[in-house]
Amino acid sequence: MARFPRSPVQRLLYTFYSAKTTPSSSPSQTAALLLGNFEIRHFSAGNVARAKDDKEPWWKESMERLRNIGISAHIDSGKTTLTERVLYYTGRIHEIHEVRGKDGVGAKMDSMDLEREKGITIQSAATYCTWKDYKINIIDTPGHVDFTIEVERALRVLDGAILVLCSVGGVQSQSITVDRQMRRYEVPRLAFINKLDRMGADPWKVLNQARSKLRHHSAAVQVPIGLEENFQGLIDLVQLKAYYFHGSNGEKVVAEEIPADMEAIVAEKRRELIEMVSEVDDKLAEAFLNDEPISSADLEDAIRRATIARKFVPVFMGSAFKNKGVQPLLDGVLSYLPCPVEVSNYALDQTKNEEKVTLSGTPDGPLVALAFKLEEGRFGQLTYLRVYEGVIRKGDFIVNINTGKKIKVPRLVRMHSDEMEDIQEAHAGQIVAVFGVDCASGDTFTNGSVKYTMTSMNVPEPVMSLAVQPVSKDSGGQFSKALNRFQKEDPTFRVGLDAESGQTIISGMGELHLDIYVERIRREYKVDATVGRPRVNFRETITQRAEFDYLHKKQSGGQGQYGRVCGYVEPLPPGSPIKFEFENMIVGQAIPSNFIPAIEKGFKEAANSGSLIGHPVENIRIVLTDGASHAVDSSELAFKLAAIYAFRQCYTAARPVILEPIMLVELKVPTEFQGTVAGDINKRKGVIVGNDQDGDDSIITTNVPLNNMFGYSTALRSMTQGKGEFTMEYKEHLPVSQDVQMQLVNTHKASKAAE
């Protein structure tokens, strides 16, 4: 009896076939019949695959053959050189140029300034290459220490990473910072010990440093054959093969048997590798304890499981400059780093008060994509998207959840450094760029069926301002172009205009944050800017109720001005969500109702700058109880001026105080420097609210006034030999002490007098 077909398409054809054909029909007749009566219009490869096998979704294979990785390192560990070799071996570029090469071309990824801090950066946000039928997206991981929103986004997009260490320098301060970032964003990683050809190269010393300083549970998966100038090749401990790299650029990898004189060390290191992995992988531990022989495949699977679970870091070795060890590292990326389906990503549901939702990460769900980087391309704004779920097609309508706008996708491209290729669609896990979509960095796009965002929509208020202006008058255009672009890229960066002085004011999350932007204006837009003194965003408020009764009367020939306002001001209750409240409690028509908005406008304008130090007044409630008007002379202007003068008249009686921003500062310093750092915090009028131990580090949580935090990054580095780091976020505004208030008021008066 014939087995009944399982899939719907097979069943359909089967019924059709049995109805139309007789046992004697030949296969060609059957086919003709089928096609004659059955017009098959659009049968995509995806549907065929689905028909072929119901269990395996059509996207499974292409998802498993995809890797999104970042390469990050301490400055000058050879990150760019390594990326250059990766692009060469995967056929992306056809010749190798050195970073400081004699031919003066410079590495492919360095089409920007060579002296960029990021250890010279990868120029496009995602460069795509193919290795052994796998697609690899190499994503630029920013290297700077200031944890702006941008750094966090780049790390959100990665599924795995390669941490490059120098075999001479070992684990350096920036390596520790980068590793800490990866741990925070739960990124599985491989380590690559580079520069084995240099004098003083010692990979085993670096491996021990990684274990002690970075607390990596790691072991080498390779052993070098010779070191320094005798470095010839590598032995793979998993496959037990020796690899040599021949050809002018090391492109021919020759696998040979392990040299006899190295068998002992290979056996020892392989045993160490198996021991380290079996500590974190139960399946391998069982085989290891039962003394069963462990095959290469079993060991590889165990390393993959442990790496993806972030319990183990496999260590690769080589010398990118001498073209040795790069291909096995690429194999390691395929073997040990996760594909997009194996990493869990979550979104925040805006309809349920930012509740976390885990995304399936498959193309079957609704579209969810994150714009993680913007670039000014030749054809306008280029937006890089990482698709987390669903499929995005050219010509589709997508919704920007952050702004609520519906947009059509005009053009989808895949990027390689600065060339691009057009594609029709992209599914979950892929990284693509779109043209002509106006959005900010960090916006989330969906197909409209869900309201998910990948990052929180709550953007913290800026806490610090600087006045900037271009040195030469000609560069004004470039200067404003730069500020506009940075505002789009980073929602925590704001630009405003100081009405009094006419200066451009930039505001951000701290000193370093603003310094980086001033530096970028100089580097990327070639505009030299002068920077004024940093200005802290103080606020003023009142502490008690005060009455006002003010008559504004002016008679100067022609129509006069007349307006009288009476009432009181009082502080709003603590914790109220609004900062300014105006209430009209006039009974009757003492003031015609059409003048009330003008009075409110006058009070708002007056509250924009308090009389203590000229900063905005907050948490204030103004109640209008009475007034008087004149049939002819009363006007909107008269009442607006009456309100402004009334506010100034009663302001001092309401006992105003100055509020300053208090920052929640989290410090991570080695325990031996704890005393020095805590003493310095007290000197800055900080209040220590918590102190925890994390291994060899102390984590100190403290509340410090922002005004006392200037130059802190430099001070902390010098106190802790560059090992301490701190993060700072705005907490609240609190009243300053009496002596500080006097000092601020006197400074303000002096600057006013000087003007």
Side-chain angles (χ1 to χ4, degrees):
M1 193 183 132
R3 194 168 57 84
F4 195 71
R6 252 175 288 157
S7 88
V9 177
Q10 282 173 329
R11 228 176 282 148
L12 192 95
L13 292 177
Y14 183 82
T15 356
F16 199 84
Y17 168 80
S18 40
K20 287 278 179 187
T21 55
T22 54
S24 58
S25 303
S26 72
S28 56
Q29 284 173 316
T30 309
L33 255 174
L34 276 175
L35 292 177
N37 297 305
F38 201 17
E39 198 176 320
I40 301 175
R41 280 206 179 85
H42 172 72
F43 224 58
S44 75
N47 295 344
V48 173
R50 250 181 250 150
K52 198 168 62 190
D53 192 343
D54 251 3
K55 280 183 244 163
E56 288 276 299
W58 56 275
W59 42 263
K60 197 162 185 333
E61 194 181 346
S62 69
M63 290 285 270
E64 281 170 359
R65 292 181 172 274
L66 190 59
R67 298 284 182 275
N68 294 318
I69 62 163
I71 299 180
S72 53
H74 184 83
I75 294 153
D76 226 10
S77 298
K79 185 165 81 168
T80 305
T81 313
L82 175 63
T83 313
E84 187 78 358
R85 300 304 186 271
V86 168
L87 294 182
Y88 177 74
Y89 296 131
T90 54
R92 261 291 135 243
I93 53 176
H94 302 298
E95 51 189 327
I96 293 178
H97 297 289
E98 295 316 326
V99 174
R100 295 184 191 84
K102 294 194 175 69
D103 57 4
V105 178
K108 169 75 172 174
M109 286 305 199
D110 289 350
S111 62
M112 298 209 240
D113 287 353
L114 270 183
E115 65 283 348
R116 288 293 295 280
E117 282 114 324
K118 287 187 192 172
I120 305 157
T121 148
I122 300 182
Q123 155 233 23
S124 91
T127 295
Y128 148 90
C129 54
T130 321
W131 178 252
K132 298 190 175 170
D133 289 340
Y134 280 73
K135 296 183 173 70
I136 303 175
N137 286 311
I138 302 173
I139 298 152
D140 176 14
T141 52
H144 48 243
V145 191
D146 196 33
F147 294 112
T148 53
I149 284 185
E150 184 191 358
V151 180
E152 307 193 352
R153 269 195 218 117
L155 289 168
R156 279 292 300 267
V157 174
L158 301 179
D159 294 330
I162 300 173
L163 181 66
V164 184
L165 299 169
C166 169
S167 67
V168 182
V171 174
Q172 291 148 297
S173 57
Q174 190 74 19
S175 325
I176 298 174
T177 314
V178 169
D179 188 69
R180 197 174 288 154
Q181 279 173 302
M182 289 184 193
R183 192 164 291 163
R184 189 177 302 163
Y185 290 96
E186 303 180 342
V187 179
R189 51 204 177 279
L190 314 175
F192 178 67
I193 299 177
N194 194 10
K195 305 193 175 183
L196 289 186
D197 58 311
R198 271 184 56 185
M199 288 288 290
D202 185 349
W204 309 112
K205 176 196 79 178
V206 180
L207 180 58
N208 289 328
Q209 275 185 354
R211 286 174 185 163
S212 60
K213 288 188 181 175
L214 304 176
R215 278 185 217 85
H216 278 180
H217 188 84
S218 56
V221 289
Q222 294 172 335
V223 174
I225 305 173
L227 281 173
E228 300 178 2
E229 63 264 29
N230 304 324
F231 176 52
Q232 293 162 4
L234 295 161
I235 295 170
D236 186 329
L237 296 178
V238 180
Q239 308 294 346
L240 290 175
K241 283 265 191 305
Y243 290 114
Y244 296 94
F245 304 90
H246 298 309
S248 56
N249 290 320
E251 63 276 2
K252 295 193 187 78
V253 183
V254 180
E256 291 180 12
E257 290 308 307
I258 297 169
D261 58 341
M262 293 193 69
E263 277 173 0
I265 186 171
V266 168
E268 178 203 329
K269 294 293 179 192
R270 186 169 202 253
R271 187 175 174 78
E272 185 186 311
L273 170 67
I274 293 171
E275 270 176 33
M276 291 299 266
V277 180
S278 56
E279 277 178 33
V280 290
D281 187 81
D282 301 340
K283 210 167 165 188
L284 188 74
E286 211 172 293
F288 177 62
L289 293 171
N290 297 340
D291 266 347
E292 293 169 13
I294 290 166
S295 71
S296 303
D298 290 345
L299 182 54
E300 192 171 308
D301 291 347
I303 296 175
R304 181 178 177 82
R305 283 193 300 271
T307 308
I308 291 174
R310 299 189 315 283
K311 292 176 180 167
F312 179 73
V313 179
V315 179
F316 289 79
M317 302 186 184
S319 161
F321 183 62
K322 290 282 194 283
N323 310 318
K324 293 188 169 87
V326 180
Q327 297 96 324
L329 175 67
L330 280 169
D331 293 342
V333 167
L334 310 186
S335 307
Y336 305 135
L337 286 182
C339 70
V341 193
E342 291 168 305
V343 180
S344 61
N345 285 300
Y346 64 85
L348 305 171
D349 192 342
Q350 292 303 321
T351 53
K352 296 184 184 158
N353 198 13
E354 300 215 336
E355 188 184 302
K356 282 189 179 180
V357 186
T358 307
L359 297 175
S360 65
T362 63
D364 291 344
L367 170 71
V368 179
L370 172 73
F372 67 96
K373 175 105 177 230
L374 309 178
E375 233 173 61
E376 287 296 321
R378 284 166 299 196
F379 315 109
Q381 181 178 306
L382 183 64
T383 310
Y384 285 93
L385 292 179
R386 157 82 147 94
V387 186
Y388 283 99
E389 195 171 89
V391 179
I392 184 170
R393 293 184 183 82
K394 185 178 167 181
D396 270 5
F397 281 98
I398 55 175
V399 179
N400 180 340
I401 297 295
N402 298 53
T403 60
K405 283 186 188 157
K406 195 173 183 183
I407 340 166
K408 191 175 182 182
V409 182
R411 185 177 169 199
L412 266 183
V413 293
R414 191 184 280 140
M415 297 299 294
H416 320 299
S417 208
D418 43 6
E419 301 101 45
M420 52 191 82
E421 75 179 79
D422 279 279
I423 52 175
Q424 291 306 310
E425 64 171 41
H427 59 68
Q430 290 185 331
I431 287 173
V432 288
V434 289
F435 273 110
V437 170
D438 187 35
C439 70
S441 182
D443 285 359
T444 307
F445 293 97
T446 69
N447 55 5
S449 62
V450 286
K451 280 195 84 166
Y452 291 168
T453 57
M454 291 307 294
T455 49
S456 174
M457 308 246 303
N458 307 330
V459 175
E461 280 296 307
V463 290
M464 208 180 117
S465 312
L466 282 177
V468 287
Q469 57 191 62
V471 176
S472 70
K473 289 275 184 286
D474 318 336
S475 49
Q478 283 291 81
F479 181 67
S480 55
K481 199 165 151 190
L483 293 182
N484 283 341
R485 177 182 149 202
F486 295 152
Q487 254 179 300
K488 265 191 176 171
E489 279 183 13
D490 183 351
T492 56
F493 177 76
R494 315 269 173 92
V495 179
L497 199 69
D498 186 354
E500 286 175 21
S501 61
Q503 285 176 309
T504 305
I505 304 284
I506 57 173
S507 316
M509 299 314 298
E511 201 176 2
L512 206 53
H513 187 192
L514 295 177
D515 281 353
I516 281 180
Y517 280 116
V518 173
E519 190 63 11
R520 281 182 65 185
I521 291 173
R522 220 185 67 226
R523 292 248 175 101
E524 294 174 29
Y525 288 88
K526 308 280 184 290
V527 176
D528 271 324
T530 50
V531 179
R533 265 219 57 209
R535 206 181 95 160
V536 175
N537 296 343
F538 290 108
R539 295 281 178 265
E540 296 180 26
T541 190
I542 55 174
T543 53
Q544 66 181 39
R545 176 178 158 149
E547 308 285 335
F548 60 82
D549 178 354
Y550 187 82
L551 170 64
H552 175 65
K553 196 163 82 176
K554 200 171 175 191
Q555 198 67 45
S556 55
Q559 187 186 356
Q561 291 180 8
Y562 184 96
R564 179 178 175 202
V565 288
C566 309
Y568 59 89
V569 296
E570 62 180 5
L572 283 167
S576 83
I578 45 174
K579 308 277 191 228
F580 176 92
E581 191 181 315
F582 175 79
E583 201 171 333
N584 173 21
M585 291 179 74
I586 296 180
V587 181
Q589 285 287 314
I591 300 175
S593 54
N594 57 328
F595 294 139
I596 302 293
I599 296 174
E600 183 177 353
K601 198 174 171 195
F603 278 121
K604 265 195 179 144
E605 207 169 286
N608 262 341
S609 102
S611 51
L612 286 179
I613 53 169
H615 279 258
V617 184
E618 279 188 352
N619 294 346
I620 182 170
R621 179 167 181 256
I622 297 170
V623 179
L624 192 63
T625 55
D626 198 6
S629 65
H630 186 280
V632 178
D633 289 353
S634 284
S635 65
E636 287 193 359
L637 176 67
F639 274 110
K640 185 176 157 188
L641 291 169
I644 291 174
Y645 293 128
F647 183 82
R648 289 185 189 161
Q649 174 200 30
C650 70
Y651 188 60
T652 28
R655 304 248 322 260
V657 291
I658 297 172
L659 303 174
E660 65 178 344
I662 303 290
M663 308 303 286
L664 178 68
V665 181
E666 192 174 276
L667 298 139
K668 194 164 189 176
V669 295
T671 310
E672 67 255 35
F673 304 115
Q674 189 181 346
T676 330
V677 171
D680 182 68
I681 289 288
N682 290 332
K683 223 165 40 188
R684 294 173 189 268
K685 296 200 175 111
V687 180
I688 294 179
V689 290
N691 193 342
D692 295 315
Q693 282 300 108
D694 176 12
D696 307 334
D697 291 342
S698 281
I699 296 173
I700 303 171
T701 317
T702 148
N703 297 337
V704 194
L706 175 68
N707 209 20
N708 305 338
M709 287 293 285
F710 288 134
Y712 189 63
S713 49
T714 324
L716 182 69
R717 278 185 199 144
S718 58
M719 278 187 292
T720 59
Q721 302 171 4
K723 292 175 189 162
E725 63 165 46
F726 75 102
T727 54
M728 178 164 86
E729 58 183 83
Y730 168 72
K731 187 169 185 275
E732 57 192 345
H733 270 81
L734 287 181
V736 300
S737 58
Q738 202 53 45
D739 58 320
V740 176
Q741 179 150 333
M742 286 300 299
Q743 195 186 332
L744 288 168
V745 171
N746 292 337
T747 318
H748 179 67
K749 278 182 183 159
S751 67
K752 271 271 183 262
E755 280 170 16

